[in-house]
Amino acid sequence: MSEQVNTAQQFPGQVHDLPGGGIVLSKLDDVINWARSNSLWPLTFATSCCGIEMMATASAKYDFSRFGFEVARATPRQADVIIIAGTIVNKMAPVLKRLYDQMADPKYVIAMGACAISGGPFFYNTYSVVKGADHVIPVDVYVAGCPPRPEALLHALISLQEKIKMGMTREQIRTGKE
Amino acid sequence: MPTLTSRAKQVDRRPMSLAEKLYLPAIFKGMAITMIHVFKKKATINYPEQKRPFSPVFRGLHILNRDEEGRERCTACGLCAVACPAEAITMEGAERQPGEEHLYREEKYAAKYEINMLRCIFCGLCEEACPKDAIYLSETFAPSNFNRASFIYGKEELRIPHPKEDPEGYKKALGNRAKK
């Protein structure tokens, strides 16, 4: 498990000390990404047992509001990130696509749990389950587990923030090139 | 008609008194509860800095075990792959050559051993199926990642560190899970 630190407080840029104070120089892109990454409101989208772990992560014990995932919104218009918590069945797939389309840009997707990332135990011998939510919408961060622990979801949320701060596209991250 | 439960409570419908009409006593009563909670111990665990101890029965990432001399226990019998409900395990067996006795414990070993963590549901049936105690589930959870390819764990990621070459890493990875 890679060690993670909470990078939310680190403002991008360099501090130049001058007599009588100092100035911070930064790129506007970096500041925008920093602001975006620290205010990601999730959409309440829980289709099965992973949703219970997502609720636990939102509760006082783990409290993802600390990272800027302030409140779970019940409408896609106000949400920035969709946490797919649970099995996506064929009947749910068009609904998920529609919710994703209704979200305002920039939007991010976290696939949580074995069902959402690959179909999990339903990979074989099931007629009704979508084999991974990325057959329907693009996914930014995958979380393995059945269901993942709240810590694993928090790990994914911090990973998503780091990804936004990197300012790289999905293709650039996949190929490992800038 | 008899009541169904003994918890039935008669609703008080008398007109409110002056103190109740002011609402101030009720507000102070509520604020007092808020103030009590301000000074209570906080429930939040600051995750990346603080970590909560996991339950002793928690099942996390798999570890391919070695024996005390650092030889791999796995004989590539395939029972774990058969037991796996998500069919996440793939392996290829190979025969041990003369001179490799210090690497593998028995005549057959797993040349390739892969677990697809995307499909794995961490049920622990592989651990139960294994006749050689070669695989067990550790206390660390699977970390999240940006791409699918990094979730296919090979032998390099799964194998426990060598007990003689890296005793500290071995002890850390062993935890208190592995069967002796």
Side-chain angles (χ1 to χ4, degrees):
Chain A
M1 187 170 41
S2 59
E3 285 299 312
Q4 272 194 323
V5 285
N6 184 6
T7 54
Q9 277 80 38
Q10 289 165 11
F11 189 79
Q14 297 162 312
V15 180
H16 291 264
D17 285 320
L18 292 172
I23 51 167
V24 177
L25 288 185
S26 182
K27 275 192 283 182
L28 187 60
D29 273 352
D30 287 349
V31 177
I32 290 170
N33 284 336
W34 172 80
R36 271 179 187 163
S37 70
N38 286 318
S39 173
L40 289 164
W41 287 10
L43 177 73
T44 48
F45 186 79
T47 43
S48 60
C49 33
C50 282
I52 305 295
E53 294 294 306
M54 190 175 80
M55 289 170 218
T57 318
S59 73
K61 200 105 188 169
Y62 296 97
D63 193 16
F64 61 32
S65 309
R66 293 180 290 132
F67 303 101
F69 295 81
E70 199 59 46
V71 276
R73 305 309 298 198
T75 162
R77 309 272 184 211
Q78 299 169 352
D80 303 298
V81 55
I82 175 166
I83 301 172
I84 308 168
T87 323
I88 303 299
V89 290
N90 286 338
K91 211 166 178 177
M92 198 66 196
V95 182
L96 174 64
K97 173 78 170 62
R98 191 169 169 189
L99 284 171
Y100 181 73
D101 289 343
Q102 284 178 341
M103 279 161 70
D105 277 321
K107 48 195 175 187
Y108 307 96
V109 181
I110 293 174
M112 179 185 180
C115 296
I117 56 181
S118 73
F122 307 111
F123 194 82
Y124 297 99
N125 307 326
T126 313
Y127 61 91
S128 60
V129 175
V130 177
K131 312 283 189 284
D134 45 8
H135 286 283
V136 189
I137 55 173
V139 173
D140 288 289
V141 182
Y142 300 87
V143 202
C146 185
R149 279 194 68 93
E151 282 95 343
L153 181 58
L154 284 178
H155 188 274
L157 297 173
I158 301 168
S159 305
L160 178 66
Q161 289 185 324
E162 277 165 9
K163 180 176 184 172
I164 297 167
K165 277 177 195 145
M166 277 193 279
M168 284 154 74
T169 61
R170 286 194 185 97
E171 273 308 307
Q172 284 171 326
I173 284 171
R174 193 171 299 138
T175 52
K177 278 181 236 146
E178 285 208 31
Chain B
M1 189 185 155
T3 49
L4 291 171
T5 64
S6 57
R7 285 175 293 172
K9 215 173 157 185
Q10 203 69 38
V11 180
D12 186 6
R13 292 196 190 282
R14 280 173 300 176
M16 287 196 284
S17 66
L18 182 69
E20 282 169 338
K21 269 184 191 161
L22 281 174
Y23 288 108
L24 279 171
I27 286 171
F28 283 118
K29 216 169 146 186
M31 289 309 288
I33 293 170
T34 311
M35 286 309 287
I36 288 167
H37 279 272
V38 165
F39 297 107
K40 272 194 177 167
K41 192 175 167 279
K42 283 166 189 67
T44 311
I45 300 161
N46 294 316
Y47 160 65
E49 293 89 19
Q50 295 170 10
K51 278 178 187 138
R52 191 182 178 191
F54 287 178
S55 149
V57 293
F58 173 71
R59 297 185 295 266
L61 280 177
H62 308 72
I63 285 183
L64 275 180
N65 208 359
R66 299 172 190 260
D67 64 3
E68 308 79 49
E69 290 159 48
R71 298 175 299 184
E72 285 173 24
R73 282 167 173 264
C74 180
T75 57
C77 62
L79 282 178
C80 50
V82 173
C84 183
E87 304 192 20
I89 304 178
T90 34
M91 62 172 73
E92 261 170 35
E95 211 159 307
R96 183 178 70 182
Q97 302 300 318
E100 288 184 333
E101 283 85 0
H102 65 289
L103 290 175
Y104 312 108
R105 203 167 65 147
E106 285 175 49
E107 296 91 71
K108 205 162 142 258
Y109 69 95
K112 204 180 100 184
Y113 194 97
E114 277 180 357
I115 299 184
N116 188 344
M117 292 299 171
L118 292 164
R119 255 186 261 160
C120 175
I121 55 168
F122 302 94
C123 59
L125 287 185
C126 45
E127 183 182 346
E128 267 178 49
C130 187
K132 303 283 179 190
D133 291 338
I135 189 165
Y136 68 96
L137 275 71
S138 67
E139 286 158 325
T140 50
F141 60 82
S144 56
N145 215 316
F146 303 135
N147 52 0
R148 296 178 73 88
S150 59
F151 278 98
I152 296 167
Y153 282 49
K155 251 175 107 172
E156 286 308 308
E157 286 94 359
L158 294 169
R159 209 158 40 177
I160 196 165
H162 199 284
K164 295 216 173 124
E165 287 158 22
D166 184 9
E168 258 177 54
Y170 176 76
K171 218 170 180 184
K172 198 180 164 201
L174 197 65
N176 40 21
R177 283 296 175 81
K179 293 175 201 121
K180 299 288 161 354

